[in-house]
Amino acid sequence: MKYTFSEEVKGELCQVEILSIEEARAELSGYLKGRGTYVKTSVDSYISLEVGFIPAARRIMNLMHTLGTDKKKLTLIKNRLQRKRVQIFIPTDILEKLEISIIAVPEGIEKDIGLFGAFLRGLFVSTGSVTDPLRSYHFEIVSYSEQLLYYIQNSLDEILGVYGNITKLRYNYRYYLKSGQDIQELFELMGAIRAAAHMEKIITSREIKADINRTLNFLSANAKRTGESNAKQIEIINKIKETVGLENLPEDLRLFAHLRLENEELSLTEIGELYDPPLTKSMVYTKVKKLMKIYDQLDNLVKEKDV
């Protein structure tokens, strides 16, 4: 079965090593805030936790096991119509013993970057998605709780300096990012190191291509300007040659005129390097301005004769 990039990232997150009981509790809270639904019947009450990714269901079961819960007390049902969708039923008394709330965010996790990363990992795997960076940069977490997304927004701003946007959908809300570097930082925070490295590689590649394009555009524009300038200089020199003759020019202008006619493609800087000793670009341009003045005088004389 071929996975999407988003599923590959989630698959990696579901394999992140659980370093402590507190981290397991924070990650499980992320899943509960993302997909948990409280259900009360005449017999008992439980939390229905539906995920659309089978490795995520295994992850939840392993988190519960790490927290000391017997897996036999949990019920797991696969949806026959939608094979990827799995439901896990957790008795509320188990969560009460673990001191985990489906409503409240674990207190103080924003002060511990490891715990906050674990909480965000569970939340993203359960209700988030990310597009393939080869197509575009887009990371999002969807929730019915606008308050939760503002909490995520403010916490990420304080912890990483990453500021996402929140928008209203038809039935819920979306927190999203459009910056490749911000998404890369979130991957690292949640523990998706391979995905972060892949993201960095794509970002770097695009930056190199952008730099090359800017350089080529600059060189192309510069070459165009140089070509137009050279053509104008040659036009001026040929006009003077046809009217008064280059031999009647002062020696310094005559030498430049010959150098320009013999080296039509060279820039003024390169023309200056042909002198002995070499001249700067501004010194050579002074000679061009003198020739332009002579050209303008000749042009005015022609216009006066025509009148």
Side-chain angles (χ1 to χ4, degrees):
M1 181 184 296
K2 187 176 181 181
Y3 289 112
T4 64
F5 177 74
S6 189
E7 288 174 332
E8 288 177 357
V9 175
K10 291 182 179 182
E12 181 182 358
L13 291 174
C14 289
Q15 296 173 0
V16 173
E17 182 182 0
I18 303 169
L19 300 177
S20 66
I21 296 295
E22 291 74 17
E23 191 173 299
R25 183 180 284 109
E27 184 174 338
L28 182 59
S29 295
Y31 279 102
L32 291 169
K33 290 296 291 181
R35 287 292 182 183
T37 302
Y38 177 75
V39 180
K40 184 175 178 62
T41 69
S42 58
V43 179
D44 59 1
S45 61
Y46 58 89
I47 303 299
S48 171
L49 187 54
E50 183 178 89
V51 290
F53 191 62
I54 293 174
R58 298 195 195 102
R59 178 71 170 187
I60 293 167
M61 300 292 279
N62 290 333
L63 288 170
M64 296 296 293
H65 179 70
T66 301
L67 292 170
T69 301
D70 186 351
K71 293 182 181 180
K72 294 179 181 179
K73 294 182 179 181
L74 308 176
T75 304
L76 188 148
I77 299 176
K78 295 182 181 180
N79 190 318
R80 293 182 180 178
L81 296 178
Q82 298 178 0
R83 294 183 180 180
K84 290 185 178 181
R85 304 212 69 80
V86 182
Q87 275 187 301
I88 300 173
F89 300 99
I90 307 172
T92 53
D93 61 335
I94 291 178
L95 294 179
E96 288 171 2
K97 289 179 182 178
L98 296 175
E99 298 181 348
I100 296 176
S101 170
I102 188 176
I103 299 173
V105 173
E107 188 175 350
I109 62 169
E110 72 280 359
K111 297 177 183 177
D112 187 312
I113 192 168
L115 295 183
F116 185 77
F119 173 77
L120 197 64
R121 182 164 63 237
L123 186 63
F124 171 73
V125 173
S126 63
T127 187
S129 64
V130 61
T131 59
D132 188 334
L134 289 172
R135 290 168 42 217
S136 64
Y137 299 144
H138 183 87
F139 172 100
E140 71 177 37
I141 291 174
V142 176
S143 174
Y144 291 108
S145 172
E146 185 181 19
Q147 183 180 359
L148 171 64
L149 296 185
Y150 275 115
Y151 169 78
I152 298 296
Q153 182 187 60
N154 294 332
S155 298
L156 286 175
D157 188 24
E158 292 178 11
I159 294 171
L160 296 179
V162 169
Y163 192 83
N165 294 298
I166 295 173
T167 184
K168 177 74 171 70
L169 302 176
R170 186 172 182 182
Y171 298 113
N172 44 32
Y173 298 87
R174 174 195 290 144
Y175 170 86
Y176 66 93
L177 296 170
K178 289 290 188 181
S179 165
Q181 291 183 339
D182 287 348
I183 296 171
Q184 179 189 333
E185 289 198 47
L186 255 63
F187 284 166
E188 292 172 351
L189 175 65
M190 294 187 294
I193 306 304
R194 290 198 308 272
H198 178 68
M199 196 85 184
E200 182 181 21
K201 184 178 179 180
I202 291 172
I203 292 171
T204 301
S205 175
R206 286 184 175 173
E207 287 177 349
I208 291 172
K209 287 180 181 178
D211 287 341
I212 291 174
N213 287 335
R214 280 193 293 268
T215 301
L216 291 175
N217 289 338
F218 171 79
L219 293 174
S220 177
N222 192 50
K224 183 180 179 181
R225 287 193 297 271
T226 300
E228 292 173 349
S229 177
N230 290 358
K232 183 63 177 176
Q233 294 166 29
I234 292 167
E235 179 187 345
I236 290 170
I237 292 170
N238 283 329
K239 179 68 174 179
I240 294 172
K241 182 179 180 181
E242 293 170 2
T243 52
V244 298
L246 298 182
E247 67 276 4
N248 293 315
L249 291 174
E251 184 179 352
D252 64 325
L253 298 184
R254 185 169 64 252
L255 175 57
F256 170 75
H258 285 299
L259 286 174
R260 167 48 76 206
L261 292 176
E262 293 169 1
N263 304 277
E264 295 184 3
E265 75 287 352
L266 297 186
S267 65
L268 292 182
T269 300
E270 292 167 326
I271 289 287
E273 292 172 355
L274 298 178
Y275 282 82
D276 187 17
L279 302 181
T280 64
K281 180 180 179 180
S282 60
M283 294 170 70
V284 177
Y285 186 62
T286 300
K287 302 182 188 302
V288 174
K289 288 170 68 177
K290 289 180 180 179
L291 288 174
M292 289 176 68
K293 188 174 182 180
I294 294 172
Y295 174 83
D296 290 338
Q297 290 173 346
L298 291 173
D299 194 45
N300 290 333
L301 285 174
V302 170
K303 290 178 180 178
E304 288 176 2
K305 287 181 180 180
D306 291 341
V307 173

